[in-house]
């Protein structure tokens, strides 16, 4: 039975890789049926969703940080945006997050748009937990867990990086398997890292995370950037908190808007 499960996972990964150069977003998903089951016809093909895909709910009201928990020294709301900013007067020695307190999702999809300064470094954590910070003990908002990486230099955007954990699980352009017995292995590719990086702009970008069981998919601007198949049972997490990071380094600013979550 274990062999069959592993085989199905490999088959899924190969399917993902073979279609990797097509946008993997709700806009490329098949239209949901208005009522009753969908009966396919031979000439039917996948088609874009008209408008917002059903089932997503807003988790940020655009006016306050209600439902979110972070240090107000670094996080605020401005012009409908969630803003994380480090100034010369507030330089940090360890990463700190603002955390959504509305739940600990297991299987879900998350959509959000971000913009970041050239020297900025951020990321969206999920299936994560709050952990003690040895470097800055009064930091109540340190997190450990999966992260969709984001940075202004666009060296890491789209990676799967486990904050304070197993570190790089998948680099942009890779489908990887994580076992815990060796470094993550590349089992397929989604495209060249530099080509995928060119799809990320210096202005607003859209993130789409698809998280199902042990398969974690990061999409940016409608293009699949990385897929992680996490078979490391002792160390993986199957549910947890969502949070957003401001990173150690120089002054920076990151903005987020249009947070939408769909639970399964």
């Amino acid at each position: 039975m274990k062999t069959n499960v592993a085989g199905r996972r490999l088959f899924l990964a190969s399917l993902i890789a073979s279609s990797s150069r097509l946008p993997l977003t709700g806009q490329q998903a098949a239209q949901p049926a208005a009522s009753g089951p969908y009966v396919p016809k031979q000439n039917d093909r996948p088609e874009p969703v008209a408008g917002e895909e059903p089932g997503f709910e807003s988790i940020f009201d655009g006016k306050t940080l209600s439902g979110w928990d972070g240090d107000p020294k670094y996080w605020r709301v401005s012009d409908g945006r969630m803003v994380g900013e480090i100034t010369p007067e507030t330089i940090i020695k360890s990463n700190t997050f603002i955390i959504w307190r509305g739940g600990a999702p297991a299987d879900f999809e998350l959509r959000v748009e971000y913009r970041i300064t050239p020297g900025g470094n951020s990321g969206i954590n999920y299936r994560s937990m709050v952990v003690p910070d040895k470097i800055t003990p009064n930091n109540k908002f340190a997190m450990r867990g999966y992260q969709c990486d984001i940075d202004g230099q666009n060296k890491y955007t789209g990676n799967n990086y486990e904050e304070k954990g197993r570190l790089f699980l998948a680099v942009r352009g890779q489908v990887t398997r994580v076992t815990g017995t060796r470094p993550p292995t590349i089992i397929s590719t989604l495209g060249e890292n530099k080509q995928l990086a060119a799809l990320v702009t210096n202005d607003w970008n859209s993130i789409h995370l698809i998280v199902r069981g042990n398969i974690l998919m990061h999409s940016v601007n409608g293009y699949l950037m990385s897929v992680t198949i996490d078979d490391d049972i002792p160390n993986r997490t199957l549910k947890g908190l969502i949070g957003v990071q401001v990173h150690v380094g120089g002054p920076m600013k990151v903005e987020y808007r249009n947070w939408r979550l769909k639970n399964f």
Side-chain angles (χ1 to χ4, degrees), residues 175-202:
V175 178
T176 63
R177 167 167 287 115
V178 182
T179 64
T181 60
R182 57 184 180 183
T185 55
I186 302 170
I187 60 176
S188 190
T189 59
L190 304 169
E192 293 295 330
N193 190 312
K194 290 183 179 180
Q195 292 176 339
L196 292 171
L199 301 171
V200 182
T201 77
N202 294 324

Side-chain angles (χ1 to χ4, degrees), residues 60-108:
F60 170 57
D61 64 20
K63 300 176 182 179
T64 70
L65 293 176
S66 176
W68 293 78
D69 191 15
D71 191 330
K73 183 187 297 185
Y74 310 112
W75 297 98
R76 67 182 189 275
V77 176
S78 177
D79 297 325
R81 304 160 186 172
M82 178 185 294
V83 180
E85 185 169 19
I86 304 294
T87 68
E89 293 74 33
T90 62
I91 297 295
I92 56 178
K93 295 182 179 180
S94 53
N95 302 336
T96 186
F97 289 76
I98 188 168
I99 302 166
W100 182 60
R101 293 298 189 180
D107 287 358
F108 66 92

Side-chain angles (χ1 to χ4, degrees), residues 35-145:
S35 61
Y38 164 65
V39 180
K41 299 184 291 294
Q42 184 62 40
N43 61 346
D44 281 355
R45 298 294 185 273
E47 58 186 37
V49 171
E52 179 66 85
E53 185 178 351
F56 283 88
E57 297 182 358
S58 174
I59 59 172
F60 170 57
D61 64 20
K63 300 176 182 179
T64 70
L65 293 176
S66 176
W68 293 78
D69 191 15
D71 191 330
K73 183 187 297 185
Y74 310 112
W75 297 98
R76 67 182 189 275
V77 176
S78 177
D79 297 325
R81 304 160 186 172
M82 178 185 294
V83 180
E85 185 169 19
I86 304 294
T87 68
E89 293 74 33
T90 62
I91 297 295
I92 56 178
K93 295 182 179 180
S94 53
N95 302 336
T96 186
F97 289 76
I98 188 168
I99 302 166
W100 182 60
R101 293 298 189 180
D107 287 358
F108 66 92
E109 293 186 33
L110 179 70
R111 293 179 179 273
V112 66
E113 298 166 5
Y114 79 90
R115 180 169 65 181
I116 191 167
T117 54
N121 193 323
S122 186
I124 303 168
N125 265 49
Y126 58 94
R127 287 186 176 176
S128 296
M129 66 187 71
V130 176
V131 294
D133 187 343
K134 295 180 181 179
I135 297 175
T136 311
N138 64 345
N139 178 15
K140 300 178 181 179
F141 307 104
M143 298 191 84
R144 173 177 176 166

Side-chain angles (χ1 to χ4, degrees), residues 8-19 175 187-188 229:
R8 286 197 296 271
R9 289 171 179 159
L10 273 172
F11 178 65
L12 174 60
S14 67
L15 287 179
I16 292 168
S18 68
S19 61
V175 178
I187 60 176
S188 190
I229 302 172

Side-chain angles (χ1 to χ4, degrees), residues 16 20 22-24 190 196 217-220 222-227:
I16 292 168
S20 63
L22 294 177
L24 184 62
L190 304 169
L196 292 171
M217 306 170 72
H218 296 176
S219 177
V220 181
Y223 292 89
L224 189 59
M225 296 290 173
S226 68
V227 178

